[in-house]
Amino acid sequence: MASPTSTNPAHAHFESFLQAQLCQDVLSSFQELCGALGVEPGGGLSQYHKIKAQLNYWSAKSLWAKLDKRASQPVYQQGQACTSTKCLVVGAGPCGLRAALELALLGAQVVLVEKRTKFSRHNVLHLWPFTIHDLRALGAKKFYGRFCTGTLDHISIRQLQLLLLKVALLLGVEIHWGVTFTGLQPPPGKGSGWRAQLQPSPPDQLANYEFDVLISAAGGKFVPEGFTVREMRGKLAIGITANFVNQRTVEETQVPEISGVARIYNQKFFQSLLKATGIDLENIVYYKDDTHYFVMTAKKQCLLRLGVLRQDWLETDRLLGSANVVSEALQRFARAAADFATNGKLGKLEFAQDAHGRPDVSAFDFTTMMRAECSARVQEKHGARLLLGLVGDCLVEPFWPLGTGVARGFLAAFDAAWMVKRWAEGTEPLEVLAERESLYQLLSQTSPENMHRNVAQYGLDPASRYPNLNLRAVTPNQVRDLYDVVAKQPVPKKSDKPDTGDLTSGSAGTQEELLCWCQEKTAGYPGVHVTDLSSSWADGLALCALVHWLRPSLLEPSELQGLRALEVTAWALKIAEHELGITPVVSAQAVVAGSDPLGLIAYLSSFHSAFKDTSGSPGVVSKASPGTSSAVLFLGKLQRTLHRSRDKESREDAGGKKPRLQVEADTPSTEEQPAPEPSVPLKPPSQQQEESAQASARDLCALCGEHLYILERFCVDGHFFHRNCFRCRACEATLWPGGYGQHPGDGYFYCLQHLPRTGHKEDIMDGSPKSPELPVLDENSVPPGPSTPTALQEASPVPCPSQPARRLIRLSSLERQRLSSLNINPSPEVEPPPKPPRSCSALARQALEGSFVGWGVPVQRPLVLEAMEEEKSPSSSEEEEEEEEDEPLESDLEQALLTLAKNTGTMNKYPTWRRTLLRHAKEEEMKRFCKAQAIQRRLNEIEVALRELEAEGVKLELALRSQSSSPEQQKQLWLEQLLQLVQKKNSLVAEEAELMITVQELDLEEKQWQLDHELRGYMNREETLKTAADRQAEDQVLRRLVDVVNQRDALIRFQEERRLSELASGTGSLG
């Protein structure tokens, strides 16, 4: 507040301006301030200097110091870099305002038009570290005292717009409200400039404003003429946002935020939600800001079943249109989901009001993400050049679960302002465009992890932000089409197909090339004479020879004597799938009968694509050869191993064995050779297996009975399905590789969430706690930090979840405690974060170094930790507290603090470190959630891409199979196109397997954390107070924890083997 003794009325106006929370109040108080000071608003940087000169009391000085520090950066050249440049910015969203600020600091004349007249969006945005630092440097704490004071870093859109608006007004940006930009008005002749077409009729000063730079930040629905937009489609995705009134009561402040929980790795929570409320979600996030903000992804069938949607329409516009959404049902839906997620601790949930005075809850579609093909253009007419740039949603629509919108939006605003600076310097237009497009290529790849770690150095210069910067990645020659010398007709938006992945090995080659390759690899084997791609393979010997050439240890030709052709072929197909990662697209019966030559050619082309670059000597293919998809191979092994593990546990539990704790742990040994998987036959199949195989109609879908074309064939356990048919029996969700199981009773397939368990009620493989509550972070349950798995470093690198050598282990209490805190980190190469501020790192290390042995209690912690608490105490000045950054901890220090935190009650004595640890734990949850959502989005895009490939493949196959009189050259072309589609499909399937392995990692991390949380609850109880049921439950939790640790160990060993294999391959190619 202003000083009580102050008699200057401008001080009161300035304080009102700082504290204003409504857009109209901000504008009116600023007008009053300018009137009191005799300053004309909208006068650029000169206006700022006039206001600063007259407001020199203490409250204003702290803000001027921050803005002067930003403006003093060399890149702005003391506000003289763009003094002759006139800019029009369209849109007063966060990105438009941020771009306007940078242009004003460069000294440009900036006019901003906004069609709205108030800021009313309560939705909350996640902030990256650099955006926090950037906003603090602009005085965010001065305008909004609660900025980033919670356990998660976020801000509502409304508050962000308000604080950026205040800074823009102070820096002299001219803002017009209620004005809609409808298009450009080219110069009528020489000597005139570009103007804007605006509605309704603007004032003469604005109507006659001529500019040479246009920055569009008007949102995804408005892209200026000349820009083309690419559509990235996935499966139907329906988001729901809800804002509830935050009364800021004590009870509300104690409810923990949810950084994000996703079905993909925490199925138990969503199963509990479904049972309790009937609501079926994919994910949910809860932020506590000006409102209680919830955002979730709902399933369409659930919305139809609960009456939220009246009818099921194919068009998303009709599906989610106001006429088809029942408002009252949507409110009940959102309230029930929010109440369940917070365990009812928010009390009565009252909706906040939106801009129209209605409850702030809405359903939206994010199936399609739009991305501009280019970020800038130049138009020239009658000698007048206009530079056009895009920022915000009209450049790239963000995928909301990733929390990248405002961060990448700010980066795009900086890049656009840098482009304007280069333009003002007189750089050639094509060079300006080439630099801008080079930066645009980096935008979608940015994350806090791959940008410069020192966020304090970030500025307008791209080199201060991007570590691997190449401003010549795009050449001026490549952007000639972005320079329009004469105005052209509007270019319509185009909708491209989703990315179907790059081909990893080039074209599958011609039929002759494939035949020659097969002949070369099978030459010299007795009884094998490959002369074509059909009848030569009927006896199965050629296929066995090909497998033997690639991996001689898998079979011996002598074992094939006396076997029938069908047995030999079935054996070769199965070994190729289980040990080489080549998924069959043709049945053994079709190979023997020669009834599906196209299917056989497609199958052999998979061998050719995967192994054609291997050396000429036999047996060169390792188990994780870079030639084949090691991810597909490993995922198949993991799926079969988990299936056997579930069956074994079901039998053990049904038999009532193991009354005491007897944990069987896998003990990998580098000295013993791993035995082959039981699912891979060590001997050829029996006569019964042959007859069973013959009875199966392999060209028909095993579920719907319809015909299967080559590209449609999805093989599971020797049966073929349509991918669209292969769904969970219970929830009808698409079953992803590695994410399903087959029930031995009914034979149906289920997702792991709904897979029935034989003999017991709870899923043994599910590590979630019995309570539907999400784990609450407290001083006794800080999640394990990163540590080196020393106990597992000597493990065999064989990528198999279970090993043949097993021993019985009985764990002591100390060993249980160690196990409960074990965390296996699969990424030891990650760069360590920067050191914390001041001397906290040195003090903490001095306090913790040598202060505890093993898992014991630290001895010398109180005095030094108290000193650290005093150092960070509230006695510091307000300005120092405002400047303090929440820097990441060093990994060794964080691990030491996590170990210290495991002792009951310890962290209660040191609240600063407790808050730090809890904050870092929330950040890790957020990273895991964002990673899971990116995977989910890509999986959906792959599913859509596979569906389109299947449709193309069906057309080509029908043309090839028809007895038409098409010339042989045309048929050969069709065949090559079909093989290319097969290769594209294999590439997508390999990428899908890679993603599913990452899903397994996330799932196991979540299970280990929740089991650790549950086990610590039992361990913290006095032994004398535990009942027999408690001890039995503790034993079960420990068994499941051992299982999870072993599975994570298998994943790490697989990743390490693949890394070593890729290194060896790279070394070989260099040699």
Side-chain angles (χ1 to χ4, degrees):
M1 297 297 294
S3 172
T5 59
S6 174
T7 58
N8 189 343
H11 292 181
H13 292 314
F14 183 71
E15 291 299 325
S16 298
F17 172 72
L18 291 181
Q19 303 302 324
Q21 288 297 299
L22 295 175
C23 185
Q24 293 301 326
D25 293 344
V26 172
L27 297 174
S28 60
S29 59
F30 185 73
Q31 290 284 351
E32 292 170 356
L33 173 64
C34 290
L37 298 177
V39 175
E40 185 69 25
L45 282 182
S46 60
Q47 171 215 278
Y48 165 71
H49 292 300
K50 292 176 183 177
I51 295 176
K52 183 180 71 170
Q54 298 186 59
L55 286 178
N56 55 5
Y57 73 108
W58 66 270
S59 183
K61 281 183 176 180
S62 61
L63 179 60
W64 306 146
K66 288 181 176 295
L67 297 180
D68 286 345
K69 183 178 179 181
R70 178 78 185 192
S72 65
Q73 293 181 8
V75 70
Y76 299 116
Q77 301 175 15
Q78 299 296 321
Q80 300 299 309
C82 299
T83 51
S84 59
T85 304
K86 294 183 178 181
C87 305
L88 177 68
V89 179
V90 180
C95 298
L97 286 167
R98 192 64 191 86
L101 290 182
E102 291 301 313
L103 295 174
L105 288 170
L106 287 168
Q109 181 181 345
V110 185
V111 174
L112 185 149
V113 294
E114 168 58 46
K115 64 181 180 181
R116 297 183 179 88
T117 57
K118 58 182 178 181
F119 298 149
S120 57
R121 290 186 287 175
H122 295 115
N123 292 356
V124 179
L125 303 171
H126 172 64
L127 299 178
W128 288 6
F130 94 84
T131 53
I132 298 170
H133 186 277
D134 179 67
L135 292 171
R136 279 185 174 141
L138 294 175
K141 293 284 284 186
K142 198 75 180 174
F143 299 115
Y144 182 52
R146 295 193 182 95
F147 179 72
C148 287
T149 55
T151 55
L152 292 172
D153 296 324
H154 50 69
I155 188 173
S156 71
I157 298 177
R158 190 181 71 87
Q159 284 292 352
L160 180 57
Q161 286 177 287
L162 283 173
L163 72 88
L164 291 175
L165 171 64
K166 293 174 185 179
V167 179
L169 290 171
L170 289 173
L171 293 180
V173 176
E174 181 182 333
I175 302 179
H176 296 268
W177 302 93
V179 177
T180 301
F181 176 86
T182 58
L184 287 169
Q185 182 178 332
K190 290 186 177 181
S192 57
W194 293 81
R195 299 180 184 179
Q197 296 177 358
L198 304 169
Q199 293 291 338
S201 298
D204 290 342
Q205 180 184 358
L206 180 59
N208 297 325
Y209 177 64
E210 295 183 351
F211 49 89
D212 44 16
V213 174
L214 171 68
I215 302 296
S216 175
K221 294 183 179 179
F222 177 80
V223 178
E225 293 179 0
F227 288 89
T228 57
V229 176
R230 181 162 61 98
E231 180 184 77
M232 297 171 289
R233 289 192 293 121
K235 289 173 59 180
L236 177 66
I238 301 175
I240 294 177
T241 59
N243 285 279
F244 300 97
V245 175
N246 187 352
Q247 305 288 355
R248 305 192 186 280
T249 62
V250 175
E251 292 76 15
E252 287 175 296
T253 60
Q254 294 175 348
V255 179
E257 296 178 286
I258 302 174
S259 56
V261 57
R263 177 191 295 272
I264 202 169
Y265 62 80
N266 191 348
Q267 298 180 1
K268 187 68 174 290
F269 170 79
F270 293 96
Q271 179 67 6
S272 302
L273 172 65
L274 180 61
K275 289 181 179 178
T277 64
I279 292 174
D280 203 2
L281 299 179
E282 291 288 348
N283 53 48
I284 188 168
V285 173
Y286 162 50
Y287 289 156
K288 192 186 309 176
D289 210 275
D290 281 352
T291 60
H292 295 294
Y293 171 68
F294 291 84
V295 58
M296 61 202 81
T297 303
K299 293 189 175 182
K300 181 180 71 171
Q301 294 302 324
C302 171
L303 295 176
L304 290 167
R305 174 169 45 82
L306 296 179
V308 177
L309 301 178
R310 289 188 170 92
Q311 295 185 48
D312 186 4
W313 300 103
L314 291 178
E315 303 87 353
T316 54
D317 289 343
R318 295 185 68 183
L319 181 70
L320 299 178
S322 57
N324 199 47
V325 176
V326 181
S327 178
E328 295 78 10
L330 180 60
Q331 293 174 37
R332 289 194 298 270
F333 184 98
R335 185 181 283 112
D339 190 63
F340 182 89
T342 56
N343 303 298
K345 295 179 181 178
L346 287 178
K348 183 179 180 181
L349 291 168
E350 177 185 349
F351 282 100
Q353 302 297 306
D354 64 12
H356 305 285
R358 298 186 294 245
D360 195 352
V361 55
S362 63
F364 63 97
D365 166 47
F366 62 101
T367 303
T368 301
M369 300 286 105
M370 309 301 291
R371 176 185 175 89
E373 293 279 13
C374 61
S375 58
R377 299 186 69 88
V378 172
Q379 292 188 14
E380 180 179 343
K381 189 171 185 180
H382 298 307
R385 290 176 177 173
L386 175 66
L387 176 65
L388 299 95
L390 305 180
V391 298
D393 289 1
C394 64
L395 180 64
V396 179
E397 277 189 318
F399 182 50
W400 73 260
L402 300 185
T404 58
V406 68
R408 290 179 179 168
F410 276 22
L411 290 174
F414 295 157
D415 295 339
W418 174 261
M419 172 185 69
V420 175
K421 179 179 182 296
R422 296 281 289 152
W423 176 267
E425 291 171 346
T427 308
E428 286 298 318
L430 289 179
E431 189 173 340
V432 171
L433 292 172
E435 284 189 5
R436 180 67 188 96
E437 293 309 305
S438 298
L439 291 172
Y440 184 37
Q441 288 185 350
L442 296 175
L443 186 63
S444 61
Q445 306 168 20
T446 55
S447 68
E449 289 74 28
N450 62 18
M451 297 180 66
H452 279 308
R453 293 303 180 104
N454 185 8
V455 296
Q457 75 175 10
Y458 283 22
L460 202 60
D461 188 343
S464 67
R465 293 174 271 123
Y466 305 116
N468 303 313
L469 179 62
N470 179 13
L471 289 177
R472 299 190 178 276
V474 177
T475 64
N477 238 11
Q478 295 174 290
V479 294
R480 289 189 177 277
D481 60 326
L482 302 183
Y483 190 173
D484 299 328
V485 178
V486 180
K488 299 178 180 179
Q489 293 296 321
V491 181
K493 298 179 182 180
K494 70 176 183 179
S495 171
D496 287 354
K497 298 174 184 176
D499 183 14
T500 56
D502 295 331
L503 299 185
T504 57
S505 309
S507 172
T510 63
Q511 191 171 349
E512 290 76 13
E513 180 184 352
L514 177 61
L515 178 59
C516 291
W517 184 81
C518 292
Q519 289 172 335
E520 177 187 349
K521 303 311 177 188
T522 58
Y525 284 90
V528 178
H529 302 286
V530 176
T531 58
D532 55 34
L533 295 175
S534 56
S535 59
S536 297
W537 304 81
D539 57 4
L541 295 178
L543 192 56
C544 286
L546 185 58
V547 173
H548 183 270
W549 187 89
L550 294 169
R551 287 277 295 278
S553 60
L554 293 180
L555 57 85
E556 287 296 332
S558 59
E559 297 177 358
L560 305 178
Q561 296 177 1
L563 298 180
R564 294 191 299 174
L566 189 59
E567 292 176 318
V568 173
T569 305
W571 191 22
L573 288 173
K574 193 167 188 179
I575 290 181
E577 178 183 9
H578 289 188
E579 298 298 334
L580 295 177
I582 303 296
T583 305
V585 294
V586 64
S587 65
Q589 296 91 330
V591 174
V592 173
S595 60
D596 191 6
L598 281 180
L600 179 60
I601 292 173
Y603 181 62
L604 293 174
S605 72
S606 298
F607 280 91
H608 179 243
S609 298
F611 303 113
K612 67 178 180 180
D613 295 326
T614 55
S615 62
S617 57
V620 295
V621 182
S622 67
K623 290 188 178 181
S625 169
T628 186
S629 173
S630 54
V632 173
L633 179 60
F634 175 74
L635 197 61
K637 289 176 179 288
L638 182 63
Q639 175 74 21
R640 293 187 291 273
T641 302
L642 294 181
H643 180 69
R644 291 195 303 272
S645 178
R646 285 191 291 267
D647 290 345
K648 179 179 178 181
E649 290 172 356
S650 298
R651 292 193 298 270
E652 288 179 353
D653 290 348
K657 297 182 180 181
K658 300 187 179 182
R660 297 180 59 188
L661 174 63
Q662 295 181 353
V663 180
E664 290 190 4
D666 292 343
T667 310
S669 170
T670 56
E671 299 176 358
E672 299 182 9
Q673 292 296 327
E677 291 187 66
S679 59
V680 179
L682 299 179
K683 296 182 179 180
S686 64
Q687 181 68 26
Q688 290 181 345
Q689 290 173 318
E690 177 189 344
E691 292 173 354
S692 174
Q694 285 177 330
S696 175
R698 296 304 181 97
D699 58 343
L700 301 179
C701 176
L703 288 174
C704 71
E706 296 294 328
H707 182 74
L708 280 166
Y709 294 92
I710 295 172
L711 267 294
E712 293 180 324
R713 294 172 189 174
F714 182 66
C715 185
V716 178
D717 295 337
H719 298 280
F720 290 118
F721 303 89
H722 290 104
R723 288 181 68 95
N724 194 46
C725 293
F726 193 61
R727 296 178 176 273
C728 174
R729 172 74 172 176
C731 65
E732 297 187 354
T734 301
L735 297 176
W736 305 106
Y740 63 86
Q742 186 176 19
H743 188 255
D746 58 21
Y748 289 108
F749 292 93
Y750 297 84
C751 64
L752 297 183
Q753 178 181 348
H754 297 112
L755 181 62
R757 305 294 296 166
T758 305
H760 55 94
K761 298 179 181 178
E762 187 179 358
D763 188 352
I764 293 179
M765 297 303 294
D766 197 326
S768 303
K770 295 179 182 178
S771 169
E773 295 185 16
L774 291 171
V776 178
L777 298 173
D778 55 33
E779 66 275 5
N780 298 326
S781 62
V782 179
S787 62
T788 304
T790 55
L792 299 171
Q793 285 178 347
E794 301 301 322
S796 168
V798 179
C800 179
S802 61
Q803 298 287 339
R806 306 176 70 87
R807 62 185 176 91
L808 194 63
I809 298 177
R810 288 185 173 83
L811 302 180
S812 65
S813 297
L814 180 60
E815 289 171 329
R816 290 189 198 182
Q817 189 175 13
R818 289 179 179 176
L819 178 62
S820 71
S821 302
L822 182 63
N823 185 18
I824 301 175
N825 183 7
S827 302
E829 307 89 2
V830 175
E831 181 183 352
K835 294 182 179 181
R838 303 177 188 158
S839 59
C840 294
S841 177
L843 283 172
R845 187 175 291 103
Q846 178 184 352
L848 297 170
E849 187 175 7
S851 62
F852 52 93
V853 179
W855 301 88
V857 179
V859 178
Q860 300 178 351
R861 69 181 186 279
L863 293 178
V864 183
L865 283 181
E866 286 170 8
M868 287 189 290
E869 288 293 327
E870 291 174 2
E871 181 182 349
K872 300 171 76 69
S873 66
S875 61
S876 58
S877 68
E878 177 186 351
E879 190 62 30
E880 289 176 348
E881 181 180 348
E882 185 176 331
E883 289 296 330
E884 184 178 329
E885 300 283 345
D886 183 23
E887 298 284 350
L889 300 174
E890 288 188 24
S891 57
D892 57 344
L893 172 59
E894 185 174 4
Q895 180 60 29
L897 288 169
L898 288 167
T899 305
L900 174 64
K902 295 179 191 302
N903 299 286
T904 305
T906 299
M907 296 311 285
N908 281 337
K909 302 177 183 177
Y910 311 106
T912 301
W913 282 112
R914 177 177 179 272
R915 285 197 301 271
T916 299
L917 290 175
L918 298 184
R919 189 177 184 85
H920 279 271
K922 285 288 187 182
E923 289 172 358
E924 290 304 314
E925 287 182 4
M926 169 67 74
K927 290 179 183 177
R928 186 162 69 247
F929 174 74
C930 292
K931 190 175 183 179
Q933 294 312 297
I935 291 171
Q936 183 74 59
R937 175 71 187 184
R938 183 55 187 156
L939 286 173
N940 290 339
E941 290 176 352
I942 288 175
E943 185 175 351
V944 172
L946 286 172
R947 210 173 290 162
E948 294 188 354
L949 284 179
E950 290 172 1
E952 292 181 43
V954 168
K955 293 179 182 178
L956 286 172
E957 189 174 346
L958 286 173
L960 284 168
R961 292 185 185 274
S962 64
Q963 300 297 326
S964 65
S965 57
S966 301
E968 284 300 318
Q969 187 177 2
Q970 178 65 55
K971 291 184 178 180
Q972 184 66 28
L973 178 61
W974 286 340
L975 179 59
E976 290 181 15
Q977 292 175 348
L978 182 65
L979 296 183
Q980 289 175 1
L981 292 181
V982 170
Q983 191 173 347
K984 286 183 180 180
K985 177 183 176 181
N986 291 341
S987 177
L988 288 173
V989 169
E991 183 185 357
E992 183 182 57
E994 294 277 2
L995 294 173
M996 288 308 301
I997 289 176
T998 308
V999 169
Q1000 293 285 345
E1001 291 180 34
L1002 295 173
D1003 183 54
L1004 292 174
E1005 287 176 14
E1006 181 72 13
K1007 285 180 179 179
Q1008 181 171 336
W1009 152 231
Q1010 296 201 21
L1011 286 169
D1012 175 86
H1013 178 82
E1014 191 173 355
L1015 183 60
R1016 188 170 290 118
Y1018 287 114
M1019 294 173 60
N1020 287 339
R1021 300 181 193 175
E1022 293 289 340
E1023 286 291 333
T1024 56
L1025 300 179
K1026 293 181 182 178
T1027 64
D1030 290 337
R1031 293 189 179 91
Q1032 185 179 5
E1034 183 179 356
D1035 292 349
Q1036 290 178 350
V1037 172
L1038 187 56
R1039 286 183 59 195
R1040 287 151 57 190
L1041 185 57
V1042 170
D1043 245 356
V1044 169
V1045 170
N1046 288 330
Q1047 291 173 38
R1048 292 192 71 184
D1049 178 34
L1051 282 172
I1052 290 170
R1053 286 185 280 116
F1054 158 71
Q1055 291 175 332
E1056 180 63 13
E1057 178 179 303
R1058 184 170 57 174
R1059 185 181 70 86
L1060 294 175
S1061 175
E1062 290 172 352
L1063 284 176
S1065 175
T1067 305
S1069 62
L1070 288 176

